[in-house]
Amino acid sequence: MKKSISTIAAAITFVFTANFAQANTIKTETTIIEVADSSQLQSVYDAYFTVKDALIKSDAKLTSAKATDLLAAITAIKMDKLKTTEHTAWMKVVKKLTADAKSISNTTDLKKQRETFKSLSKNTYDLIKVSKSDVAVYKQYCPMADADWLSKEKAVKNPYYGSSMLTCGNVVETIK
């Protein structure tokens, strides 16, 4: 009788331990997926920042190359892995982001690149407001270009005029 009770107690303990371990495994997998989801859009943001930096340098060829990288980051997004709010925002801007990145990558006319960058910045802003970046992002505004852009640095470096008016503009919003 004692052996039967001991055996039953051991079996119950084993079942509870196995269920607890399985629950922890499922929780861990969910966390990993959520981290991967947020990093997906981060690759788009990082590519956007490299386009902005190339415009600051007034380097049309580099800007074109970085826009090609941005296009690759955009097409690599797996929409089914995005959170619901991110997916909704993504669906609203993905066509515009793609068209802007293609347009910038297909020209070495700095003036056209900068004009298209206005739309690219607006749509990236709409997306980043919903999903958030890994770091603080500053929305900056240039009154001369009447346009915004996003930056990881608080210091203003104007992509619309480059070295001719590098510090023209101000921070209008901090996104965290």
Side-chain angles (χ1 to χ4, degrees):
M1 185 72 156
K2 285 185 180 182
K3 281 187 179 181
S4 298
I5 293 173
S6 297
T7 305
I8 292 171
I12 291 171
T13 303
F14 174 76
V15 169
F16 280 117
T17 304
N19 283 341
F20 180 75
Q22 184 179 8
N24 281 343
T25 302
I26 291 169
K27 199 179 287 185
T28 303
E29 288 173 1
T30 302
T31 303
I32 290 169
I33 289 169
E34 286 177 10
V35 169
D37 289 349
S38 62
S39 69
Q40 266 202 97
L41 292 177
Q42 189 61 46
S43 65
V44 172
Y45 305 145
D46 291 343
Y48 165 88
F49 293 129
T50 64
V51 171
K52 174 199 56 99
D53 292 342
L55 286 170
I56 290 169
K57 294 176 184 174
S58 298
D59 187 333
K61 285 184 180 179
L62 180 61
T63 300
S64 177
K66 295 303 179 182
T68 301
D69 295 344
L70 173 59
L71 192 55
I74 291 167
T75 57
I77 295 295
K78 293 177 177 52
M79 289 184 284
D80 60 326
K81 303 283 186 206
L82 297 173
K83 296 175 190 167
T84 305
T85 55
E86 292 173 339
H87 185 271
T88 302
W90 180 254
M91 292 306 293
K92 289 178 183 175
V93 301
V94 66
K95 286 181 182 175
K96 295 173 190 168
L97 287 174
T98 303
D100 291 341
K102 275 184 186 175
S103 177
I104 293 170
S105 69
N106 288 335
T107 185
T108 53
D109 181 331
L110 201 54
K111 188 175 181 178
K112 287 180 182 176
Q113 289 175 329
R114 286 179 167 149
E115 191 59 37
T116 306
F117 186 70
K118 292 177 182 181
S119 172
L120 181 69
S121 294
K122 183 215 173 294
N123 292 305
T124 303
Y125 170 78
D126 291 346
L127 187 60
I128 210 166
K129 280 292 286 186
V130 172
S131 70
K132 307 294 183 226
S133 171
D134 289 347
V135 296
V137 174
Y138 302 95
K139 181 180 181 185
Q140 299 176 339
Y141 174 74
C142 172
M144 297 295 290
D146 190 26
D148 298 309
W149 72 93
L150 302 172
S151 180
K152 291 192 282 185
E153 298 106 32
K154 196 171 187 173
V156 172
K157 292 183 183 172
N158 190 322
Y160 297 108
Y161 290 101
S163 62
S164 66
M165 291 179 28
L166 186 61
T167 59
C168 177
N170 59 310
V171 174
V172 293
E173 184 180 351
T174 302
I175 306 161
K176 292 184 181 180

